[in-house]
Amino acid sequence: MPSYENEIKASLAKFEVLLRAQIERSLRIDRQGVWQIPSAGDKIKIGILPGDEDLPGLFSIVDVILRTLLSDLIEKGIVEIIHIGGLHFESRYQAGKSIPIEILSQIKQCQAIVRGIWREPENGSLESVDAALQKELDLYAHLTPVWFPKREVEWLFFQDVNEGVLPAGGMKIQDLLAIDFAFSTPNGAERLARTAFAYAKARGIRQIILSIDEKRGWQTIESFVAACFAAAKEFDGIELTCMEGSSIESTFYQPEGKQDTKMVLLPYRQDYQVLFQGESEVCMGQVKIGASCTVLGWDEQALAFAAKDSAHVMACTGMLQSISLLFDLMGFYHAADQLRAAMALSMDDEQSGAPFDLISYVDGLLKRIEEM
């Protein structure tokens, strides 16, 4: 018997588990529906969930910004801000769970979670906190806001969360064969498309770019293309444009000056960070959307692009970008507009040569908000 026969059998068993898990996940999320803006007057709990590798002082800033911009709603009892502590490396390791049960119970009471960055066990004994949140909250859409202050342009990248390319679901048989899998479901494609178009409508975005690379395999993107064109017919006033990655890259480098927000819908995992090469100021957030909960934070990848002297400001702004998107998702449009305008004006201070460390940036930001 060939030396790889047992490995083939083990891989087939692993593939069966992967197929069943994806089908069961899709059916479970189908029963929950898709994200919708909460009805007026609905009680919204926003949980603040620090990690153990966070930017110092970041969550104090988050708390102040939320309470400043949502003060009226907090006073009326419509919004409640809850601090959830104890989710750190030691507590997770001792509990033997990515998220201990008592902390998970608090998380599930919230409609939004502002999350931190966690140190993960090197031996892989626990799955990441992000992965656990995705599963427990059935998050299905991943929205990455990327803002380039110097060029006054914002790009929004929409992707699915688990469906699509699954590197962890791949397999390797000795040095003879390596495979990665890509999955898509018609319902998952519809969820992502409808969420992206609904968000675009809420933000007043007039164009969505669908990134297509047929080299990835038509079978896995056919349902996304069909779902996107169906959504485009339903949402009048939003143009859908199909582009290959190289065309999107050329669109990215348009002449400087005020530009409309660009939204890109990615039907599978794509390395869009290649667009950021050579940019010294990149603010990246991260928002994951489910039918009943939204999880947001800053994207630590942005630190790889930021200049050393402004890295903390870029990270903080990435978090605030995510918060502005949360306000959109919750229907708090005035607060979202206020925050975005204040960030833009505060970044102007940096380009004018004024002192620009994290403290002076936040002080200036709060001053701008108070003046509005």
Short mmCIF file of all heavy atoms in Angstrom, two decimals, residues 6-56:
data_model
loop_
_atom_site.label_atom_id
_atom_site.label_comp_id
_atom_site.label_asym_id
_atom_site.label_seq_id
_atom_site.Cartn_x
_atom_site.Cartn_y
_atom_site.Cartn_z
N ASN A 6 -3.06 6.27 3.96
CA ASN A 6 -3.73 6.65 5.21
C ASN A 6 -3.97 8.16 5.28
O ASN A 6 -4.98 8.62 5.82
CB ASN A 6 -2.91 6.18 6.41
CG ASN A 6 -2.97 4.67 6.60
OD1 ASN A 6 -3.93 4.02 6.16
ND2 ASN A 6 -1.95 4.11 7.24
N GLU A 7 -3.03 8.93 4.74
CA GLU A 7 -3.20 10.39 4.75
C GLU A 7 -4.36 10.81 3.86
O GLU A 7 -5.08 11.76 4.17
CB GLU A 7 -1.91 11.06 4.30
CG GLU A 7 -0.77 10.92 5.29
CD GLU A 7 0.46 11.66 4.84
OE1 GLU A 7 0.36 12.88 4.59
OE2 GLU A 7 1.52 11.02 4.72
N ILE A 8 -4.55 10.10 2.75
CA ILE A 8 -5.70 10.41 1.88
C ILE A 8 -7.01 10.15 2.61
O ILE A 8 -7.94 10.97 2.58
CB ILE A 8 -5.63 9.57 0.58
CG1 ILE A 8 -4.49 10.07 -0.31
CG2 ILE A 8 -6.96 9.63 -0.18
CD1 ILE A 8 -4.29 9.26 -1.57
N LYS A 9 -7.10 9.03 3.31
CA LYS A 9 -8.32 8.70 4.05
C LYS A 9 -8.58 9.74 5.14
O LYS A 9 -9.72 10.17 5.36
CB LYS A 9 -8.20 7.31 4.66
CG LYS A 9 -8.21 6.19 3.63
CD LYS A 9 -8.07 4.83 4.30
CE LYS A 9 -8.08 3.72 3.24
NZ LYS A 9 -7.91 2.38 3.87
N ALA A 10 -7.52 10.16 5.84
CA ALA A 10 -7.68 11.17 6.89
C ALA A 10 -8.12 12.50 6.30
O ALA A 10 -8.95 13.21 6.88
CB ALA A 10 -6.36 11.33 7.65
N SER A 11 -7.59 12.84 5.13
CA SER A 11 -7.96 14.10 4.48
C SER A 11 -9.41 14.08 4.02
O SER A 11 -10.12 15.08 4.12
CB SER A 11 -7.03 14.37 3.29
OG SER A 11 -5.70 14.55 3.72
N LEU A 12 -9.87 12.94 3.51
CA LEU A 12 -11.27 12.82 3.09
C LEU A 12 -12.20 12.99 4.28
O LEU A 12 -13.25 13.64 4.18
CB LEU A 12 -11.49 11.46 2.43
CG LEU A 12 -10.87 11.29 1.03
CD1 LEU A 12 -11.02 9.84 0.56
CD2 LEU A 12 -11.51 12.24 0.04
N ALA A 13 -11.82 12.44 5.43
CA ALA A 13 -12.64 12.58 6.64
C ALA A 13 -12.67 14.04 7.08
O ALA A 13 -13.72 14.56 7.48
CB ALA A 13 -12.07 11.69 7.75
N LYS A 14 -11.53 14.72 6.99
CA LYS A 14 -11.46 16.12 7.36
C LYS A 14 -12.32 16.96 6.42
O LYS A 14 -13.00 17.90 6.85
CB LYS A 14 -10.00 16.58 7.30
CG LYS A 14 -9.79 18.04 7.68
CD LYS A 14 -8.31 18.40 7.59
CE LYS A 14 -8.10 19.87 7.96
NZ LYS A 14 -6.66 20.24 7.84
N PHE A 15 -12.30 16.62 5.13
CA PHE A 15 -13.09 17.35 4.15
C PHE A 15 -14.58 17.20 4.42
O PHE A 15 -15.35 18.15 4.31
CB PHE A 15 -12.74 16.84 2.75
CG PHE A 15 -13.39 17.61 1.64
CD1 PHE A 15 -13.28 18.99 1.58
CD2 PHE A 15 -14.10 16.97 0.65
CE1 PHE A 15 -13.88 19.71 0.56
CE2 PHE A 15 -14.70 17.68 -0.37
CZ PHE A 15 -14.59 19.06 -0.43
N GLU A 16 -15.00 16.00 4.83
CA GLU A 16 -16.42 15.78 5.15
C GLU A 16 -16.84 16.66 6.32
O GLU A 16 -17.91 17.27 6.30
CB GLU A 16 -16.66 14.31 5.48
CG GLU A 16 -18.12 14.03 5.83
CD GLU A 16 -18.37 12.57 6.18
OE1 GLU A 16 -17.42 11.78 6.13
OE2 GLU A 16 -19.52 12.24 6.51
N VAL A 17 -16.00 16.72 7.36
CA VAL A 17 -16.31 17.56 8.52
C VAL A 17 -16.44 19.02 8.09
O VAL A 17 -17.35 19.74 8.52
CB VAL A 17 -15.19 17.42 9.59
CG1 VAL A 17 -15.37 18.46 10.69
CG2 VAL A 17 -15.21 16.02 10.18
N LEU A 18 -15.55 19.46 7.21
CA LEU A 18 -15.57 20.85 6.73
C LEU A 18 -16.84 21.15 5.96
O LEU A 18 -17.48 22.19 6.15
CB LEU A 18 -14.34 21.07 5.86
CG LEU A 18 -13.91 22.51 5.57
CD1 LEU A 18 -13.62 23.24 6.86
CD2 LEU A 18 -12.68 22.51 4.67
N LEU A 19 -17.25 20.24 5.07
CA LEU A 19 -18.47 20.42 4.29
C LEU A 19 -19.69 20.52 5.20
O LEU A 19 -20.53 21.41 5.05
CB LEU A 19 -18.65 19.26 3.31
CG LEU A 19 -17.69 19.18 2.13
CD1 LEU A 19 -17.96 17.91 1.33
CD2 LEU A 19 -17.82 20.39 1.23
N ARG A 20 -19.79 19.60 6.15
CA ARG A 20 -20.94 19.60 7.04
C ARG A 20 -20.98 20.87 7.90
O ARG A 20 -22.04 21.45 8.14
CB ARG A 20 -20.92 18.36 7.94
CG ARG A 20 -21.12 17.06 7.16
CD ARG A 20 -21.23 15.87 8.10
NE ARG A 20 -21.33 14.63 7.34
CZ ARG A 20 -22.45 14.19 6.75
NH1 ARG A 20 -23.57 14.90 6.87
NH2 ARG A 20 -22.47 13.06 6.09
N ALA A 21 -19.82 21.31 8.38
CA ALA A 21 -19.76 22.51 9.22
C ALA A 21 -20.22 23.74 8.45
O ALA A 21 -20.96 24.58 8.99
CB ALA A 21 -18.34 22.72 9.74
N GLN A 22 -19.82 23.87 7.17
CA GLN A 22 -20.22 25.02 6.38
C GLN A 22 -21.72 25.01 6.07
O GLN A 22 -22.38 26.05 6.12
CB GLN A 22 -19.42 25.05 5.07
CG GLN A 22 -17.99 25.51 5.24
CD GLN A 22 -17.92 26.96 5.72
OE1 GLN A 22 -18.39 27.88 5.07
NE2 GLN A 22 -17.33 27.16 6.88
N ILE A 23 -22.25 23.84 5.76
CA ILE A 23 -23.69 23.74 5.48
C ILE A 23 -24.51 24.05 6.73
O ILE A 23 -25.48 24.80 6.69
CB ILE A 23 -24.03 22.33 4.94
CG1 ILE A 23 -23.41 22.16 3.54
CG2 ILE A 23 -25.54 22.13 4.88
CD1 ILE A 23 -23.50 20.74 3.01
N GLU A 24 -24.10 23.49 7.87
CA GLU A 24 -24.83 23.72 9.12
C GLU A 24 -24.75 25.19 9.52
O GLU A 24 -25.74 25.77 9.99
CB GLU A 24 -24.25 22.83 10.23
CG GLU A 24 -24.60 21.36 10.03
CD GLU A 24 -23.79 20.44 10.93
OE1 GLU A 24 -23.02 20.98 11.77
OE2 GLU A 24 -23.91 19.21 10.79
N ARG A 25 -23.59 25.81 9.34
CA ARG A 25 -23.45 27.23 9.67
C ARG A 25 -24.38 28.08 8.81
O ARG A 25 -25.06 28.99 9.30
CB ARG A 25 -22.01 27.66 9.45
CG ARG A 25 -21.79 29.17 9.60
CD ARG A 25 -20.36 29.55 9.30
NE ARG A 25 -20.19 31.00 9.41
CZ ARG A 25 -20.43 31.87 8.44
NH1 ARG A 25 -20.87 31.43 7.27
NH2 ARG A 25 -20.26 33.16 8.63
N SER A 26 -24.40 27.80 7.51
CA SER A 26 -25.24 28.57 6.60
C SER A 26 -26.71 28.44 6.96
O SER A 26 -27.45 29.43 6.99
CB SER A 26 -25.00 28.11 5.15
OG SER A 26 -25.75 28.90 4.26
N LEU A 27 -27.17 27.23 7.27
CA LEU A 27 -28.57 27.01 7.64
C LEU A 27 -28.91 27.71 8.94
O LEU A 27 -30.00 28.28 9.09
CB LEU A 27 -28.84 25.51 7.77
CG LEU A 27 -28.79 24.70 6.45
CD1 LEU A 27 -28.92 23.22 6.73
CD2 LEU A 27 -29.89 25.17 5.50
N ARG A 28 -27.96 27.70 9.90
CA ARG A 28 -28.21 28.34 11.19
C ARG A 28 -28.35 29.86 11.02
O ARG A 28 -29.25 30.48 11.58
CB ARG A 28 -27.05 28.04 12.14
CG ARG A 28 -27.27 28.58 13.56
CD ARG A 28 -26.12 28.21 14.48
NE ARG A 28 -24.87 28.84 14.10
CZ ARG A 28 -23.84 28.20 13.56
NH1 ARG A 28 -23.92 26.89 13.34
NH2 ARG A 28 -22.73 28.83 13.24
N ILE A 29 -27.47 30.47 10.21
CA ILE A 29 -27.53 31.91 10.00
C ILE A 29 -28.77 32.29 9.20
O ILE A 29 -29.36 33.35 9.41
CB ILE A 29 -26.24 32.41 9.32
CG1 ILE A 29 -25.05 32.19 10.25
CG2 ILE A 29 -26.35 33.89 8.97
CD1 ILE A 29 -23.72 32.63 9.66
N ASP A 30 -29.18 31.41 8.28
CA ASP A 30 -30.40 31.67 7.50
C ASP A 30 -31.59 31.91 8.42
O ASP A 30 -32.44 32.77 8.15
CB ASP A 30 -30.71 30.49 6.59
CG ASP A 30 -29.79 30.44 5.38
OD1 ASP A 30 -29.10 31.45 5.12
OD2 ASP A 30 -29.75 29.39 4.72
N ARG A 31 -31.65 31.15 9.50
CA ARG A 31 -32.79 31.27 10.41
C ARG A 31 -32.80 32.61 11.15
O ARG A 31 -33.83 33.05 11.64
CB ARG A 31 -32.77 30.11 11.42
CG ARG A 31 -33.04 28.74 10.78
CD ARG A 31 -33.28 27.69 11.84
NE ARG A 31 -32.06 27.36 12.56
CZ ARG A 31 -31.23 26.39 12.21
NH1 ARG A 31 -31.46 25.66 11.12
NH2 ARG A 31 -30.15 26.13 12.93
N GLN A 32 -31.64 33.25 11.22
CA GLN A 32 -31.55 34.51 11.96
C GLN A 32 -31.81 35.73 11.09
O GLN A 32 -32.09 36.81 11.61
CB GLN A 32 -30.16 34.63 12.59
CG GLN A 32 -29.86 33.53 13.59
CD GLN A 32 -28.52 33.73 14.26
OE1 GLN A 32 -27.97 34.81 14.26
NE2 GLN A 32 -28.00 32.67 14.85
N GLY A 33 -31.69 35.59 9.78
CA GLY A 33 -31.90 36.73 8.89
C GLY A 33 -30.64 37.55 8.72
O GLY A 33 -29.53 37.09 9.01
N VAL A 34 -30.79 38.79 8.27
CA VAL A 34 -29.65 39.67 8.02
C VAL A 34 -29.75 40.91 8.89
O VAL A 34 -30.79 41.19 9.49
CB VAL A 34 -29.57 40.08 6.52
CG1 VAL A 34 -29.38 38.87 5.64
CG2 VAL A 34 -30.84 40.84 6.10
N TRP A 35 -28.65 41.65 8.95
CA TRP A 35 -28.60 42.88 9.73
C TRP A 35 -29.64 43.88 9.25
O TRP A 35 -29.89 44.03 8.07
CB TRP A 35 -27.20 43.49 9.60
CG TRP A 35 -27.19 44.97 9.92
CD1 TRP A 35 -27.18 45.53 11.16
CD2 TRP A 35 -27.24 46.05 8.99
NE1 TRP A 35 -27.21 46.89 11.06
CE2 TRP A 35 -27.24 47.25 9.73
CE3 TRP A 35 -27.29 46.12 7.59
CZ2 TRP A 35 -27.28 48.50 9.13
CZ3 TRP A 35 -27.33 47.36 6.99
CH2 TRP A 35 -27.32 48.53 7.76
N GLN A 36 -30.25 44.57 10.21
CA GLN A 36 -31.17 45.66 9.91
C GLN A 36 -30.93 46.79 10.91
O GLN A 36 -30.54 46.55 12.05
CB GLN A 36 -32.63 45.20 10.02
CG GLN A 36 -33.04 44.20 8.96
CD GLN A 36 -34.51 43.81 9.09
OE1 GLN A 36 -35.16 44.15 10.07
NE2 GLN A 36 -35.01 43.10 8.11
N ILE A 37 -31.16 48.02 10.47
CA ILE A 37 -31.04 49.16 11.38
C ILE A 37 -32.10 48.99 12.47
O ILE A 37 -33.27 48.73 12.18
CB ILE A 37 -31.25 50.48 10.62
CG1 ILE A 37 -30.13 50.68 9.60
CG2 ILE A 37 -31.30 51.66 11.59
CD1 ILE A 37 -30.32 51.89 8.71
N PRO A 38 -31.73 49.10 13.76
CA PRO A 38 -32.72 48.95 14.84
C PRO A 38 -33.87 49.93 14.71
O PRO A 38 -33.70 51.04 14.19
CB PRO A 38 -31.89 49.23 16.10
CG PRO A 38 -30.47 48.97 15.70
CD PRO A 38 -30.38 49.36 14.26
N SER A 39 -35.02 49.54 15.17
CA SER A 39 -36.18 50.43 15.16
C SER A 39 -35.97 51.58 16.15
O SER A 39 -35.25 51.43 17.15
CB SER A 39 -37.45 49.66 15.56
OG SER A 39 -37.68 48.60 14.65
N ALA A 40 -36.56 52.72 15.85
CA ALA A 40 -36.41 53.90 16.71
C ALA A 40 -36.86 53.56 18.14
O ALA A 40 -37.92 52.97 18.34
CB ALA A 40 -37.24 55.05 16.16
N GLY A 41 -36.03 53.92 19.09
CA GLY A 41 -36.36 53.68 20.49
C GLY A 41 -35.91 52.34 21.04
O GLY A 41 -36.02 52.10 22.25
N ASP A 42 -35.42 51.43 20.17
CA ASP A 42 -34.92 50.14 20.66
C ASP A 42 -33.75 50.36 21.61
O ASP A 42 -32.88 51.19 21.35
CB ASP A 42 -34.46 49.26 19.49
CG ASP A 42 -35.62 48.59 18.78
OD1 ASP A 42 -36.77 48.80 19.21
OD2 ASP A 42 -35.38 47.88 17.79
N LYS A 43 -33.69 49.60 22.69
CA LYS A 43 -32.59 49.68 23.63
C LYS A 43 -31.36 49.02 23.02
O LYS A 43 -31.42 47.90 22.51
CB LYS A 43 -32.96 48.99 24.95
CG LYS A 43 -31.86 48.99 26.00
CD LYS A 43 -31.62 50.40 26.53
CE LYS A 43 -30.55 50.41 27.63
NZ LYS A 43 -31.06 49.91 28.91
N ILE A 44 -30.23 49.72 23.05
CA ILE A 44 -28.98 49.22 22.48
C ILE A 44 -27.91 49.22 23.54
O ILE A 44 -27.62 50.26 24.16
CB ILE A 44 -28.55 50.07 21.27
CG1 ILE A 44 -29.56 49.91 20.13
CG2 ILE A 44 -27.15 49.67 20.81
CD1 ILE A 44 -29.31 50.83 18.97
N LYS A 45 -27.32 48.05 23.77
CA LYS A 45 -26.21 47.93 24.71
C LYS A 45 -24.91 47.80 23.92
O LYS A 45 -24.78 46.94 23.06
CB LYS A 45 -26.40 46.71 25.61
CG LYS A 45 -27.60 46.81 26.54
CD LYS A 45 -27.69 45.58 27.44
CE LYS A 45 -28.89 45.69 28.40
NZ LYS A 45 -28.99 44.51 29.28
N ILE A 46 -23.97 48.68 24.23
CA ILE A 46 -22.65 48.66 23.59
C ILE A 46 -21.65 48.18 24.62
O ILE A 46 -21.43 48.83 25.65
CB ILE A 46 -22.25 50.05 23.06
CG1 ILE A 46 -23.27 50.55 22.03
CG2 ILE A 46 -20.85 50.00 22.45
CD1 ILE A 46 -23.00 51.96 21.52
N GLY A 47 -21.05 47.01 24.37
CA GLY A 47 -20.08 46.45 25.30
C GLY A 47 -18.67 46.87 24.93
O GLY A 47 -18.29 46.83 23.76
N ILE A 48 -17.89 47.28 25.92
CA ILE A 48 -16.47 47.60 25.72
C ILE A 48 -15.67 46.44 26.27
O ILE A 48 -15.72 46.14 27.47
CB ILE A 48 -16.10 48.93 26.41
CG1 ILE A 48 -16.87 50.08 25.76
CG2 ILE A 48 -14.61 49.17 26.32
CD1 ILE A 48 -16.56 51.44 26.34
N LEU A 49 -14.93 45.76 25.40
CA LEU A 49 -14.27 44.49 25.72
C LEU A 49 -12.77 44.61 25.44
O LEU A 49 -12.30 44.26 24.36
CB LEU A 49 -14.89 43.37 24.87
CG LEU A 49 -14.40 41.94 25.11
CD1 LEU A 49 -14.81 41.45 26.49
CD2 LEU A 49 -14.96 41.01 24.03
N PRO A 50 -11.99 45.10 26.41
CA PRO A 50 -10.54 45.25 26.18
C PRO A 50 -9.84 43.91 26.02
O PRO A 50 -10.31 42.87 26.50
CB PRO A 50 -10.07 45.97 27.45
CG PRO A 50 -11.30 46.54 28.08
CD PRO A 50 -12.41 45.58 27.72
N GLY A 51 -8.69 43.96 25.34
CA GLY A 51 -7.84 42.78 25.21
C GLY A 51 -6.65 42.90 26.13
O GLY A 51 -6.66 43.66 27.10
N ASP A 52 -5.59 42.12 25.84
CA ASP A 52 -4.39 42.20 26.68
C ASP A 52 -3.19 42.73 25.90
O ASP A 52 -2.07 42.74 26.41
CB ASP A 52 -4.06 40.84 27.32
CG ASP A 52 -4.22 39.69 26.36
OD1 ASP A 52 -4.02 39.89 25.15
OD2 ASP A 52 -4.54 38.58 26.81
N GLU A 53 -3.41 43.16 24.65
CA GLU A 53 -2.32 43.75 23.87
C GLU A 53 -2.80 45.04 23.21
O GLU A 53 -2.47 45.34 22.06
CB GLU A 53 -1.80 42.76 22.83
CG GLU A 53 -1.15 41.54 23.45
CD GLU A 53 -0.34 40.72 22.46
OE1 GLU A 53 -0.51 40.92 21.24
OE2 GLU A 53 0.48 39.89 22.90
N ASP A 54 -3.60 45.81 23.95
CA ASP A 54 -4.20 47.01 23.39
C ASP A 54 -3.26 48.20 23.45
O ASP A 54 -2.33 48.25 24.25
CB ASP A 54 -5.49 47.37 24.14
CG ASP A 54 -6.56 46.29 24.02
OD1 ASP A 54 -6.59 45.64 22.97
OD2 ASP A 54 -7.33 46.11 24.97
N LEU A 55 -3.54 49.18 22.60
CA LEU A 55 -2.84 50.45 22.66
C LEU A 55 -3.16 51.10 24.01
O LEU A 55 -4.33 51.23 24.37
CB LEU A 55 -3.34 51.33 21.52
CG LEU A 55 -2.66 52.67 21.28
CD1 LEU A 55 -1.23 52.45 20.80
CD2 LEU A 55 -3.44 53.47 20.26
N PRO A 56 -2.15 51.50 24.79
CA PRO A 56 -2.41 52.09 26.13
C PRO A 56 -3.36 53.28 26.05
O PRO A 56 -3.18 54.18 25.24
CB PRO A 56 -1.01 52.52 26.59
CG PRO A 56 -0.07 51.63 25.86
CD PRO A 56 -0.71 51.39 24.51
#
